[in-house]
Amino acid sequence: MRVSLNWLKECVEFDLSPEELAERLNLTGTAVEGIEYLGKDLQKVVVGQIKKIKQHPNADYLKVCSVDIRDKELQIVCGAKNMKEGDKVPVALVGAKLPSGLEIKRAIIKGVASEGMMCSESELKIGEDASGLLILDESAEVGEDLAKVLGLEDAVLELEITPNRPDCLGVIGIAREVAAIVGSELKKPKIKLKEVDRSIHQATRVDVLDGDLCPRYAARIIDDITIAPSPLWMKRRLQAAGFRAINNVVDITNYVMLETGQPLHAFDFDRLNEGRIMVRTAHLGETIVTLDGVFRQLDETTLVIADAKEPIALAGVMGGAHSEVSEGTTTILLESANFNPRSIMRTSRKLGLITESSNRFEKGLDPNGPVYAADRAAQLMQELAGGKVFKGVIDVYPKPKRVLSLTLRPQRVNDILGTNLLPKQITQILESLELKVSQLPTRNSQLEVHVPTFRTDLEQEIDLIEEVARLYGYNRIQSTLPESGGKRGGLNLNQRISLCIKDILVSCGLWEVITFSFIGPQQFDKLMLPADSALREAITLRNPLSEEQSIMRTTLLPGLLEVLRYNAHRNRYNVQIFEVGHIFHSRPGEILPHEPVMVAAALTGSWRDNEWHERAKLLDFFDAKGIIETLFDQLGIEDWHLNRTIRPFFHPGRGSEVFIKGEMVGILGEIHPHVQEAFELPNPVTIFELEEAKLVKYASLLRHFEEIPKYPGVTLDIALVVDEVISNEEVYKIIHRWGGRLLGEIHLFDLYRGGQIPRGKKSLAYSLTFRADDRTLTEDEAKKALERIIARLKKELGARIRA
Amino acid sequence: MSIREELRCLAEEAQRAISQSSSLQELNEARVKFLGRKGQLTAILKSLGKLPLSERPTVGYLANEIRETLEESIVSREKELKKELLQKKLEAEKVDITLPGKRPCVGRKHLLTQVIEEIIRIFMGLGYSVVEGPEVELDYYNFEALNTPPDHPARSLQATLYVKTAHEPKSSREEVLLRTHTSPVQIRVMERMKPPLYVVSPGRTYRRDVADPTHSPMFHQVEGFAVDKRITFGDLKGTLEVFAREMFGKDRKVRLRPHFFPFTEPSAEVDVSCIVCDGRGCRICKYSGWLEILGAGMIDPNVFNVVGYDPEKVTGFAFGMGVERIAMLKYGVNDIRLFFENDLRFLGQF
Ligand SMILES: [Zn+2]
């Protein structure tokens, strides 16, 4: 909400600069989002009086004027037609910079010198009238700054009003806050109303058929109205608040709303069928054309204001076009009502129509506010539109809202805030907000607090404590730390392991990424998942922002592959990344899904580009497997292996499942060339995805010291030629089993095909280290052990030993 | 020439050859020539038999002396030559030290993870534990138990992402949604555990916001809360001041401004003095000198009633902060979308 300081000053006295006031408001809960200084665009624009108007010698459409600006007379060439000698007009002096950016310079116009510019409203951006010069009031003093004359020497505070404070949606509400802050008095505008003899009750009647949706409906009738533009001061204030001036009647309803926070509506009374009002829900099939010219179909949940025949307004949201105040209007019915906030919210949402009025009503307004606002508006119509106000107010208010009475314990205030406030201080603060406080006679020092009805937000003791806190000042409350804090805390084992996993992957050279938890179903097509794949059974969003963000991910792979694609499009082809995040699966019989955390990585390209010392080498399955080996090693995970698997998104010969102690914990493999293509990736990609909880289950951060070998070992190499189908694991197992107690490390150092190796065969070379705990092993002993191994390899695998 | 003279000449010649040898090979040749089995000194010694018996010892002695001297010379010359050789070798091995180094490949954690870990580290130091909650959440935990009225705009289909459920929810509290903040963890923890509680809860959160430089449909928050006997608003202030100074630097000023949240009362927004301009006013702080970093407040008694705590016996505070916002402020990141695009050129900067 935008509040003019000049306006505010009419309602409360304070001696603060705009910045100081903003600071005080900020620190008491009314956030100031900005300060706008009006009139700062009107420097060097002054009031001038036209002394003489002559025809331009060289142009029919131009005049040459002599303009008095107090200390001298200027000659100004002008194209406007609406001025006469003696008129006072705005004059932009040489050097002035108008809001449009136009800089005024000395000029020769068709051979005649011109020393400035006389301006229209629109040229000064203080109004929309561009038809001619702005003719100022006769009282304007010649030579004075225009900004001062027009009341534009003002600052506007842009306030953020929190939804719990609808009472602050008007200047009076803000003034009440300011009064409490600075310790002065609120000066609400006094109503001075002269009613004519004719009674409103003779002219109209109001029937409220739905008292729940409309707790109060007040109306006044004003006739003999002359529709005209509003006076400048009112236009200025509306403009400062961000409103367009329309005509005096409409402007007054807006003005009073801005002042009191109570929305008002003026109906052209002569347009009402039978001249009466009914507040009811719409009948099925009823329609209305609203003020914005939109034809709207209504249903039975919509509260409308109707005349005897049909809806004439959407209650609390927007008036109808038919009964709109127009130039010919002479009599108006002024509505000042209170509507049920939820009903207004529903209507506003359903119709997609948010107005100043609906915005206020849906926050819940004081039902005791409407009559004051109606009287205030009637007074202004009498003063500014020549209206005659009928005697009396129609006020349908069957269940008046009573003042709420709350108990407040001063000790509780101090317990919550950590303060030592005295009951007297607390009382003072609350009274500054117009709350009435009295000491309860029965209990020791308990206070009874009467809450005025405009403070709809104060319902419980804690609400009052907040009022005390914010006006006392958060900055005055002593900072402390909880008495008993710091006794517990830290991470549990699972959390520590989880942190460890990221640390290890990072040390392996992987970069962590974070991708959206929602994906699109087309990602599953890119992964070539069949229609019945379990991965396709995803949690679906009801109102997604887009198809691409419409389901919750069941695997981290698409997100990672998308990151590879994103970077490849930016010419980054060497990408090694991981993500740790939730996936989502529905659980039978449960409302909420299962959200396991997955640890997934993707590797593509090479670790680095060609270097001066090393050629780039494309990463493959074994680079990814190496990272898993390192990860498991560091986590103390033992007894794990890979099983070959076929997955639609894996290369058929390069996919595997990861097992720890016989339990499947995830997958590792190179993605299928088609998938690679679908994600527009130039190089093969290897991925793994592991379930974190299972890693945690088998991980152990405990370590036991193992004796470092005291005696040197003997290392012997063997190279075997075996059938292609024989796996490293098979060879390894035989070596391990037959190596006996002396066998230490087994290290595969060469894998070779071709050359002297027959087709269908391959050569594997291992170096084996033999060692004894209690002595230095002799070469002969080691060789003997090796012989045993070789014999078994020959027998069991048909291996041939290469020289 | 007498044999003595012969020996002396030989010694001189050999000495010259040794000192003039310019390589180990030449030196070796000299040794073979003079001291080898078929060398000249050996030849002379072999002819010793021809000498009268009386002369033999002195000449033999002289010959041995010469041999020893020459051998010493050879050793020292060898040392010199080796040293020269090494010198040359090392000179030839000179590298261009301006060539780029061979870097090990290391990755890094995402900036948001770094910030979350930093926040958690600070609160662990204050005795907090870490508890996480589900991202797909019930309306009850996300809104209702947190005192959010049924028609609150945050609950609308425009603001919150809802999940399709197998059965029509019986009431709005059974609606399933992507949590819009980490605050539901408060309720879940309080339902399960008894005070005292000192908990922080990081995690992903979601809102139905179209991505732009300051909005993202997914973002991260860290929630924190303390429930205990005699927790005060002063404790909240003190705790957040400790946090802000640890996070943004010890010279930061901290201020709390009254604000409104449905589930805390009194509530506050918390500012630190601008880390860019140090409070003087700049574009980042919109010339206010302050940066808003989090929302906080005393836990509303209604929330305690919901979880079955007696608000007369325990009090508590809660706070919540946007991780992206803190990262953006602290590291000057100007577009929230960068966090989720995962451009390596972005990730590599932190
Ligand atoms: Zn700044």
Side-chain angles (χ1 to χ4, degrees):
Chain A
M1 167 157 160
R2 293 167 55 93
V3 173
S4 140
L5 283 201
N6 288 349
W7 197 348
L8 194 60
K9 277 180 180 159
E10 267 180 23
C11 299
V12 60
E13 267 174 44
F14 57 91
D15 189 19
L16 298 171
S17 71
E19 295 79 13
E20 287 164 342
L21 179 65
E23 174 78 2
R24 300 287 291 270
L25 285 168
N26 265 327
L27 293 179
T28 48
T30 312
V32 180
E33 292 176 324
I35 306 175
E36 189 183 311
Y37 297 90
L38 297 183
K40 72 172 188 311
D41 289 336
L42 296 180
Q43 279 166 25
K44 296 201 166 188
V45 182
V46 301
V47 178
Q49 187 167 31
I50 302 172
K51 292 291 183 192
K52 203 166 267 172
I53 304 178
K54 288 189 299 193
Q55 185 58 44
H56 191 289
N58 307 322
D60 289 349
Y61 60 94
L62 292 177
K63 300 277 194 299
V64 180
C65 306
S66 263
V67 185
D68 178 15
I69 56 162
R70 187 163 57 195
D71 43 357
K72 61 176 170 178
E73 267 187 34
L74 303 176
Q75 173 174 295
I76 298 174
V77 175
C78 178
K81 294 183 180 63
N82 66 327
M83 69 286 193
K84 56 181 191 302
E85 288 176 0
D87 277 351
K88 291 180 177 172
V89 295
V91 179
L93 304 177
V94 171
K97 199 171 171 188
L98 297 187
S100 62
L102 178 69
E103 253 187 86
I104 308 300
K105 295 182 182 126
R106 234 174 278 276
I108 308 287
I109 298 169
K110 299 251 174 209
V112 176
S114 182
E115 300 176 276
M117 175 177 155
M118 297 188 285
C119 307
S120 69
E121 265 185 23
S122 97
E123 281 163 336
L124 297 171
K125 292 250 162 74
I126 55 175
E128 282 157 21
D129 189 354
S131 66
L133 298 184
L134 170 61
I135 309 296
L136 299 168
D137 198 82
E138 282 171 31
S139 64
E141 194 179 324
V142 172
E144 193 67 75
D145 280 344
L146 182 74
K148 191 169 175 193
V149 169
L150 294 184
L152 283 174
E153 274 188 329
D154 194 3
V156 176
L157 298 185
E158 286 169 48
L159 304 178
E160 182 205 348
I161 307 299
T162 52
N164 60 326
R165 292 300 302 276
D167 63 300
C168 284
L169 291 170
V171 174
I172 291 173
I174 302 294
R176 188 178 286 119
E177 283 287 312
V178 174
I181 296 168
V182 302
S184 70
E185 203 118 316
L186 172 69
K187 297 182 295 180
K188 240 169 127 175
K190 293 248 158 32
I191 308 289
K192 291 163 284 180
L193 199 57
K194 280 190 241 106
E195 296 175 323
V196 296
D197 283 342
R198 187 160 176 212
S199 161
I200 187 171
H201 297 284
Q202 292 163 352
T204 187
R205 59 176 287 189
V206 173
D207 296 289
V208 176
L209 304 187
D210 196 326
D212 284 341
L213 300 188
C214 176
R216 188 174 197 181
Y217 195 99
R220 273 197 174 270
I221 290 185
I222 301 110
D223 76 355
D224 273 358
I225 293 256
T226 311
I227 300 293
S230 298
L232 215 49
W233 64 266
M234 182 176 275
K235 282 188 186 171
R236 288 292 88 78
R237 285 191 176 172
L238 290 173
Q239 209 177 12
F243 279 65
R244 271 180 51 199
I246 295 167
N247 61 47
N248 47 7
V249 169
V250 174
D251 291 352
I252 287 167
T253 59
N254 283 331
Y255 184 86
V256 175
M257 174 176 74
L258 289 168
E259 191 171 64
T260 62
Q262 168 69 44
L264 301 171
H265 187 70
F267 295 100
D268 185 335
F269 186 63
D270 299 327
R271 294 287 200 130
L272 305 190
N273 286 299
E274 296 179 23
R276 50 181 285 210
I277 294 285
M278 280 164 63
V279 185
R280 59 167 172 84
T281 49
H283 305 315
L284 201 62
E286 278 187 323
T287 62
I288 187 172
V289 177
T290 40
L291 279 175
D292 53 3
V294 178
F295 173 84
R296 298 175 192 275
Q297 254 162 337
L298 306 175
D299 67 30
E300 289 139 309
T301 64
T302 307
L303 187 72
V304 296
I305 311 302
D307 58 17
K309 206 173 127 205
E310 60 196 0
I312 53 171
L314 297 170
V317 180
M318 191 179 264
H322 180 72
S323 58
E324 183 180 4
V325 171
S326 59
E327 259 172 68
T329 302
T330 56
T331 308
I332 64 151
L333 183 139
L334 185 69
E335 164 195 296
S336 183
N338 185 267
F339 299 111
N340 178 307
R342 296 183 61 174
S343 156
I344 299 297
M345 192 184 301
R346 267 200 306 273
T347 303
S348 165
R349 298 257 169 82
K350 193 182 295 161
L351 300 174
L353 190 58
I354 296 167
T355 62
E356 287 287 339
S357 167
S358 72
N359 189 35
R360 283 175 164 78
F361 279 123
E362 70 177 36
K363 296 196 168 82
L365 296 180
D366 177 15
N368 290 330
V371 170
Y372 174 80
D375 289 350
R376 173 78 172 137
Q379 175 199 337
L380 290 171
M381 288 186 190
Q382 179 184 292
E383 289 170 5
L384 305 177
K388 294 199 170 65
V389 183
F390 282 23
K391 187 194 280 301
V393 184
I394 286 186
D395 186 12
V396 185
Y397 190 24
K399 291 181 211 154
K401 188 177 173 185
R402 298 247 186 77
V403 167
L404 187 66
S405 159
L406 298 173
T407 304
L408 177 65
R409 295 163 293 171
Q411 186 53 46
R412 180 74 173 164
V413 174
N414 290 324
D415 285 348
I416 296 280
L417 301 181
T419 47
N420 287 305
L421 296 174
L422 300 170
K424 208 177 82 185
Q425 287 172 286
I426 293 169
T427 302
Q428 214 165 30
I429 288 172
L430 294 176
E431 281 176 345
S432 76
L433 290 164
E434 297 182 29
L435 276 58
K436 290 199 176 57
V437 185
S438 49
Q439 187 102 21
L440 277 178
T442 48
R443 294 290 189 81
N444 46 345
S445 82
Q446 286 195 5
L447 302 176
E448 187 180 35
V449 181
H450 295 280
V451 182
T453 53
F454 57 78
R455 286 305 301 270
T456 47
D457 59 318
L458 305 183
E459 295 173 312
Q460 301 177 56
E461 185 183 41
I462 191 74
D463 301 326
L464 299 176
I465 295 174
E466 178 170 54
E467 293 302 292
V468 172
R470 71 181 182 92
L471 283 162
Y472 177 68
Y474 284 4
N475 52 337
R476 291 166 69 192
I477 295 173
Q478 184 77 36
S479 294
T480 49
L481 286 175
E483 286 169 28
S484 64
K487 285 180 191 156
R488 46 192 68 221
L491 298 178
N492 63 30
L493 185 65
N494 287 8
Q495 290 164 339
R496 276 185 12 238
I497 292 174
S498 161
L499 213 61
C500 245
I501 289 174
K502 283 190 184 180
D503 285 332
I504 296 164
L505 294 177
V506 158
S507 72
C508 288
L510 303 186
W511 291 82
E512 188 192 9
V513 299
I514 297 179
T515 70
F516 283 157
S517 308
F518 22 62
I519 59 173
Q522 68 278 7
Q523 298 286 7
F524 293 144
D525 302 337
K526 284 166 124 184
L527 288 179
M528 305 199 300
L529 297 179
D532 60 352
S533 165
L535 287 177
R536 282 189 185 265
E537 286 166 23
I539 306 277
T540 309
L541 296 183
R542 217 163 78 201
N543 55 337
L545 282 158
S546 67
E547 175 87 11
E548 289 77 40
Q549 301 179 350
S550 62
I551 56 174
M552 300 308 284
R553 61 187 181 183
T554 53
T555 156
L556 304 188
L557 301 187
L560 292 180
L561 292 171
E562 278 299 330
V563 172
L564 301 190
R565 192 179 69 88
Y566 183 93
N567 281 286
H569 277 219
R570 284 149 188 83
N571 301 321
R572 290 290 295 251
Y573 306 111
N574 303 333
V575 186
Q576 299 84 32
I577 51 172
F578 76 100
E579 179 169 14
V580 178
H582 291 274
I583 59 168
F584 304 84
H585 287 295
S586 55
R587 283 184 284 204
E590 298 269 345
I591 302 179
L592 293 183
H594 181 41
E595 299 186 11
V597 174
M598 304 304 280
V599 178
L603 287 75
T604 188
S606 47
W607 284 119
R608 33 172 98 77
D609 284 320
N610 281 335
E611 297 283 348
W612 57 274
H613 54 86
E614 191 181 24
R615 304 269 86 191
K617 206 174 126 283
L618 283 184
L619 299 174
D620 62 24
F621 181 91
F622 298 100
D623 291 284
K625 186 181 177 188
I627 290 173
I628 291 186
E629 286 171 0
T630 307
L631 177 67
F632 286 6
D633 197 39
Q634 302 260 312
L635 291 177
I637 293 174
E638 288 168 346
D639 189 12
W640 66 276
H641 70 277
L642 300 180
N643 269 6
R644 252 182 213 292
T645 184
I646 300 290
R647 300 273 160 119
F649 47 82
F650 274 157
H651 184 302
R654 299 180 182 178
S656 67
E657 290 172 339
V658 184
F659 285 81
I660 305 174
K661 292 192 165 52
E663 183 177 8
M664 220 266 272
V665 302
I667 51 171
L668 158 71
E670 183 177 313
I671 64 163
H672 195 285
H674 288 332
V675 177
Q676 180 190 327
E677 198 181 290
F679 284 94
E680 300 162 30
L681 296 168
N683 296 316
V685 181
T686 305
I687 62 91
F688 63 78
E689 184 171 33
L690 310 169
E691 190 173 338
E692 190 186 68
K694 291 183 179 165
L695 301 187
V696 169
K697 177 172 158 192
Y698 294 109
S700 163
L701 299 183
L702 294 176
R703 295 288 184 273
H704 285 289
F705 171 69
E706 266 175 45
E707 200 70 48
I708 293 162
K710 282 200 183 75
Y711 300 96
V714 177
T715 300
L716 302 172
D717 293 350
I718 48 166
L720 346 155
V721 177
V722 292
D723 283 346
E724 189 64 71
V725 293
I726 292 182
S727 72
N728 167 60
E729 191 175 19
E730 289 169 84
V731 177
Y732 188 95
K733 275 185 177 161
I734 291 171
I735 295 175
H736 187 73
R737 178 148 21 107
W738 297 98
R741 285 194 312 129
L742 297 178
L743 179 60
E745 295 88 51
I746 310 171
H747 177 65
L748 175 70
F749 67 91
D750 193 30
L751 166 63
Y752 179 72
R753 294 183 180 88
Q756 301 142 329
I757 309 300
R759 283 174 73 96
K761 304 260 184 188
K762 64 187 171 189
S763 161
L764 295 164
Y766 297 85
S767 68
L768 310 180
T769 303
F770 297 90
R771 189 183 289 116
D773 296 342
D774 51 353
R775 66 206 144 91
T776 304
L777 209 61
T778 65
E779 185 126 357
D780 280 348
E781 283 175 289
K783 278 188 174 148
K784 211 173 279 173
L786 184 62
E787 288 308 320
R788 211 166 46 231
I789 294 169
I790 288 173
R792 297 309 304 191
L793 288 171
K794 283 180 174 164
K795 188 174 171 206
E796 292 187 27
L797 302 177
R800 194 164 59 74
I801 307 302
R802 287 176 79 202
Chain B
M1 215 180 345
S2 77
I3 198 161
R4 284 169 189 261
E5 275 168 26
E6 229 176 302
L7 274 172
R8 236 172 256 126
C9 285
L10 182 71
E12 261 172 49
E13 194 189 339
Q15 203 60 265
R16 208 176 309 121
I18 289 166
S19 60
Q20 284 174 359
S21 65
S22 62
S23 69
L24 288 171
Q25 200 188 341
E26 274 180 44
L27 183 65
N28 199 38
E29 279 165 10
R31 187 183 52 216
V32 172
K33 184 176 171 195
F34 298 105
L35 302 177
R37 268 191 288 136
K38 290 174 184 162
Q40 294 180 9
L41 185 64
T42 316
I44 290 175
L45 286 174
K46 275 181 186 160
S47 66
L48 217 60
K50 293 174 193 157
L51 285 179
L53 211 61
S54 62
E55 280 187 47
R56 282 186 202 172
T58 46
V59 175
Y61 182 77
L62 181 64
N64 270 342
E65 205 176 30
I66 290 171
R67 171 182 288 274
E68 274 168 29
T69 312
L70 289 180
E71 273 173 352
E72 267 169 36
S73 300
I74 287 172
V75 167
S76 82
R77 181 62 188 155
E78 193 179 2
K79 262 189 195 161
E80 270 172 41
L81 283 173
K82 276 189 174 162
K83 198 176 159 195
E84 276 169 34
L85 207 64
L86 181 67
Q87 199 68 39
K88 269 188 205 139
K89 182 172 174 264
L90 293 183
E91 247 162 61
E93 281 173 357
K94 190 168 88 174
V95 297
D96 175 359
I97 55 164
T98 68
L99 285 173
K102 305 174 185 176
R103 291 189 182 211
C105 290
V106 287
R108 238 168 286 164
K109 289 183 190 176
H110 195 283
L111 179 57
L112 294 176
T113 302
Q114 295 178 34
V115 171
I116 289 172
E117 287 182 3
E118 170 80 357
I119 295 168
I120 286 175
R121 188 190 59 74
I122 294 168
F123 283 103
M124 278 188 342
L126 291 169
Y128 286 64
S129 319
V130 178
V131 180
E132 287 173 78
E135 293 174 18
V136 178
E137 188 50 286
L138 289 170
D139 172 285
Y140 175 75
Y141 290 104
N142 195 76
F143 290 128
E144 187 175 312
L146 290 164
N147 217 13
T148 314
D151 288 322
H152 195 279
R155 278 178 139 162
S156 74
L157 285 168
Q158 282 73 45
T160 296
L161 289 160
Y162 284 89
V163 163
K164 274 188 192 158
T165 45
H167 307 285
E168 188 70 18
K170 284 189 218 74
S171 63
S172 74
R173 57 152 60 181
E174 282 178 26
E175 293 270 10
V176 181
L177 46 78
L178 304 190
R179 64 176 177 186
T180 59
H181 47 180
T182 39
S183 308
V185 181
Q186 272 183 48
I187 306 296
R188 287 186 172 274
V189 170
M190 287 195 276
E191 271 184 352
R192 227 177 45 223
M193 288 148 77
K194 292 269 157 278
L197 296 172
Y198 293 86
V199 172
V200 278
S201 182
R204 295 182 176 208
T205 49
Y206 307 86
R207 284 185 200 166
R208 201 173 179 281
D209 287 332
V210 177
D212 68 22
T214 53
H215 295 86
S216 171
M218 185 187 94
F219 54 101
H220 295 73
Q221 282 190 345
V222 176
E223 184 83 4
F225 57 97
V227 182
D228 205 340
K229 284 178 194 144
R230 293 188 299 279
I231 294 271
T232 69
F233 190 84
D235 294 337
L236 170 63
K237 244 184 103 177
T239 301
L240 295 178
E241 280 167 3
V242 168
F243 166 73
R245 293 193 180 120
E246 288 260 333
M247 193 73 200
F248 294 103
K250 63 177 167 38
D251 297 331
R252 290 305 104 207
K253 288 202 261 306
V254 180
R255 75 170 187 185
L256 279 72
R257 282 179 289 106
H259 197 71
F260 170 73
F261 302 110
F263 46 98
T264 51
E265 190 153 18
S267 302
E269 279 186 334
V270 181
D271 300 337
V272 291
S273 52
C274 180
I275 52 178
V276 178
C277 65
D278 209 15
R280 283 184 296 274
C282 70
R283 201 176 48 79
I284 302 299
C285 61
K286 293 187 190 131
Y287 303 97
S288 71
W290 295 96
L291 297 170
E292 181 202 326
I293 54 160
L294 54 83
M298 299 300 290
I299 297 174
D300 196 300
N302 292 343
V303 174
F304 285 142
N305 288 330
V306 159
V307 296
Y309 287 6
D310 183 350
E312 293 293 321
K313 295 209 172 103
V314 290
T315 51
F317 60 70
F319 53 86
M321 62 190 99
V323 178
E324 283 79 1
R325 177 164 173 82
I326 287 179
M328 288 169 90
L329 291 176
K330 192 166 170 177
Y331 297 92
V333 177
N334 58 9
D335 191 326
I336 196 172
R337 292 170 293 192
L338 288 165
F339 293 116
F340 308 110
E341 280 167 357
N342 298 295
D343 191 317
L344 287 181
R345 293 167 299 180
F346 175 76
L347 300 177
Q349 291 180 30
F350 304 101

